[in-house]
């Protein structure tokens, strides 16, 4: 659901390992899902998206998995690099409605 | 394509003053959204506008805050009589409105002293 002012959970990963960031969404009618990356002092940046008629989509080093049954979304980052350190937000959208953001996860890459 | 342009990047206001935040959407985008973000927190929806119309203002405080997106020119988020609690990063995003996500600007960081 939408951010309600909770402090961000943190995921620490060794450089070179794979990262998995999880997200639960709230609206079963949402048909479009997006992952954003936000680096310190910057605006959110689009990473990858997926429509509800798919359960997996791959990009360059990133994969998004969608489980509509349990309303769960995950972002997998292969061979995590220091430049991947950021806050990652999942987001859901339906038609002309606003995009609703999850709480966010801070990814820390340990060199 | 210049992307979503927000200005100013940083804005300092004294308590009681007015803050005006501007957002020019991406070329071809007619839908604008404003979000607020406190440090170490997520993005909280404020308002969704189309040209000359407010579509959804469910996240806007009832007092002191207003937003517009005129036929010509940028979208403006206006905060009157600012208080310390208004200090935050304010992000604008734009889209075509067809359910395919947004593009964000770099934000305006408002500090109320």
């Amino acid at each position: 659901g939408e951010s309600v002012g909770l402090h961000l959970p943190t995921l620490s990963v060794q450089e070179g390992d794979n990262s998995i960031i999880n997200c639960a969404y709230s609206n079963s009618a949402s048909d479009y899902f997006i992952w954003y990356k936000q680096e310190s002092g910057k605006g959110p940046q689009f990473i990858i998206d997926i429509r509800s008629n798919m359960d997996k989509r791959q990009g360059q080093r990133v994969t998004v998995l969608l489980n509509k049954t349990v309303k769960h979304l995950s972002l997998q980052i292969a061979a995590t690099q220091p430049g991947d350190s950021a806050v990652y937000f999942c987001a859901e959208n339906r038609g002309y409605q606003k995009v609703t953001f999850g709480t966010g996860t801070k990814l820390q890459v340990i060199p | 394509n210049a992307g979503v342009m927000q200005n100013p990047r940083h804005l300092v206001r004294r308590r009681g003053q007015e803050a005006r935040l501007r957002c020019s959407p991406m070329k071809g985008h007619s839908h604008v959204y404003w979000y607020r973000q406190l440090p170490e927190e997520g993005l909280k929806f404020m308002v969704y506008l189309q040209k000359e119309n407010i579509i959804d203002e469910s996240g806007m405080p009832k007092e002191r805050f207003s937003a517009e997106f005129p036929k010509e020119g940028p979208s403006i988020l206006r905060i009157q009589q600012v208080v310390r609690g208004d200090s935050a990063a304010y992000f604008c995003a734009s889209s075509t409105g067809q359910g395919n996500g947004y593009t964000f600007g770099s934000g305006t960081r408002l500090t109320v002293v």
Side-chain angles (χ1 to χ4, degrees):
Chain A
E2 190 156 357
S3 165
V4 291
L6 299 174
H7 286 289
L8 300 171
T10 300
L11 174 67
S12 296
V13 174
Q14 205 74 36
E15 182 179 355
D17 287 352
N18 296 335
S19 303
I20 300 176
I21 300 171
N22 296 303
C23 175
Y25 64 92
S26 55
N27 187 352
S28 57
S30 293
D31 57 10
Y32 180 65
F33 303 89
I34 317 117
W35 279 99
Y36 287 93
K37 172 185 180 183
Q38 187 178 25
E39 296 174 282
S40 181
K42 297 184 179 179
Q45 179 185 8
F46 172 92
I47 303 173
I48 191 168
D49 59 2
I50 189 168
R51 297 241 171 236
S52 58
N53 60 352
M54 303 171 70
D55 52 22
K56 181 179 180 179
R57 190 162 187 226
Q58 287 184 291
Q60 189 177 17
R61 282 201 309 119
V62 294
T63 301
V64 55
L65 299 177
L66 173 63
N67 185 330
K68 294 181 286 294
T69 303
V70 295
K71 292 191 283 187
H72 184 268
L73 200 62
S74 69
L75 177 70
Q76 300 178 2
I77 304 173
T80 312
Q81 302 169 359
D84 295 327
S85 294
V87 176
Y88 290 82
F89 293 99
C90 68
E92 55 184 301
N93 185 207
R94 177 173 174 266
Y96 289 89
Q97 296 175 8
K98 64 182 183 288
V99 169
T100 302
F101 285 83
T103 308
T105 298
K106 180 185 282 188
L107 177 65
Q108 291 181 335
V109 181
I110 304 164
Chain B
N1 191 342
V4 178
M5 304 300 292
Q6 287 189 250
N7 66 82
R9 287 295 306 275
H10 299 275
L11 181 62
V12 179
R13 284 288 177 265
R14 295 187 184 280
R15 280 179 293 170
Q17 290 185 320
E18 178 179 288
R20 280 187 177 233
L21 288 62
R22 294 174 189 77
C23 170
S24 296
M26 275 186 71
K27 189 175 181 181
H29 287 188
S30 59
H31 296 245
V32 164
Y33 313 79
W34 285 93
Y35 285 78
R36 170 184 160 128
Q37 186 177 39
L38 294 172
E40 300 294 306
E41 293 188 4
L43 292 138
K44 185 168 183 179
F45 169 78
M46 297 183 75
V47 62
Y48 165 22
L49 309 107
Q50 273 185 278
K51 285 284 186 182
E52 300 185 279
N53 287 308
I54 296 175
I55 307 300
D56 182 347
E57 56 182 347
S58 57
M60 286 273 274
K62 293 289 184 275
E63 297 178 352
R64 302 189 298 108
F65 284 73
S66 63
E68 62 176 8
F69 188 17
K71 189 175 180 181
E72 302 290 337
S75 175
I76 306 286
L77 178 67
R78 182 180 176 210
I79 311 172
Q80 295 177 287
Q81 300 175 320
V82 296
V83 301
R84 288 245 171 89
D86 296 332
S87 295
Y90 292 84
F91 289 98
C92 169
S94 72
S95 79
T96 60
Q98 294 173 6
N100 52 2
Y102 306 153
T103 301
F104 278 88
S106 299
T108 294
R109 279 143 190 86
L110 172 66
T111 303
V112 179
V113 297

